[in-house]
Amino acid sequence: MGLVESGKMPKPLTSLLNTARKYSLWAYQWGLACCAIEMGAAFASPRYDVMRLGVIPLPASPRQADVVVISGTVTDKMVPSIKRLYEQMADPKYVISMGSCTNCGGPYWDSYSVTKGIDQVLPVDVYIPGCPPRPEALLEGIVLLQQRIGREDMADRWRGDPLVVQ
């Protein structure tokens, strides 16, 4: 059994590993609707440069990703693909839910085919509200996730409450 599994990580080593992990996030994008345009603006435009935050967009596969950003209307037909993507990611993995459709179904909440929030399928770490949320909101969500990664105990990774961007 290693140090992480035993829960006996030295504090300086935990701090060092968390700092390295929070400034080297590989973000996998799962854009489904209009929120994907805002996510693309945050990840691809020079105005909202996420690389300065230590986030590398567009990994080649989910196996290389640390965080998945799900944005847009999630339909019940899309849920198996999203679950498969999440299961292919290596631990520790994080989920950012971007937009009101992803958070709770948005204006389509009463539709028979729309999932009433991605948190019914995956454990969400950061919620970003809005319809559609601005690229600055995604940057703030990434900063909140980095703060959470910086103070998390690696042995207790799966405990805790999700963050909500105000």
Side-chain angles (χ1 to χ4, degrees), residues 25 43 50 53 55 96 138-146:
L25 289 175
F43 280 148
V50 294
L53 297 174
V55 177
I96 295 177
L138 178 59
L139 296 180
E140 184 179 349
I142 290 171
V143 169
L144 285 173
L145 180 64
Q146 288 176 333

Side-chain angles (χ1 to χ4, degrees), residues 10-25 92 94 142-154 157 163:
K11 193 75 165 167
L13 183 59
T14 300
S15 176
L16 177 70
L17 291 175
N18 285 345
T19 301
R21 287 187 315 122
K22 79 178 185 178
Y23 290 122
S24 64
L25 289 175
Y94 305 94
I142 290 171
V143 169
L144 285 173
L145 180 64
Q146 288 176 333
Q147 289 172 355
R148 180 181 206 163
I149 292 170
R151 67 176 181 266
E152 79 181 357
D153 185 12
M154 295 179 77
R157 161 62 188 103
L163 299 173

Side-chain angles (χ1 to χ4, degrees), residues 27-29 38-45 48-51 55-58 69 138-139 142:
Y28 198 81
Q29 305 168 30
E38 301 295 327
M39 180 176 59
F43 280 148
S45 73
Y48 309 103
D49 184 23
V50 294
M51 296 282 278
V55 177
I56 299 126
L58 302 169
V69 181
L138 178 59
L139 296 180
I142 290 171

Side-chain angles (χ1 to χ4, degrees), residues 34-35 72-74 97-111 114-118 130-131:
C34 47
C35 292
T73 309
V74 179
S97 176
M98 181 177 174
S100 62
C101 290
T102 311
N103 293 342
C104 63
Y108 313 110
W109 65 271
D110 60 347
S111 175
V114 173
T115 304
K116 310 304 186 263
I118 196 64
C131 185

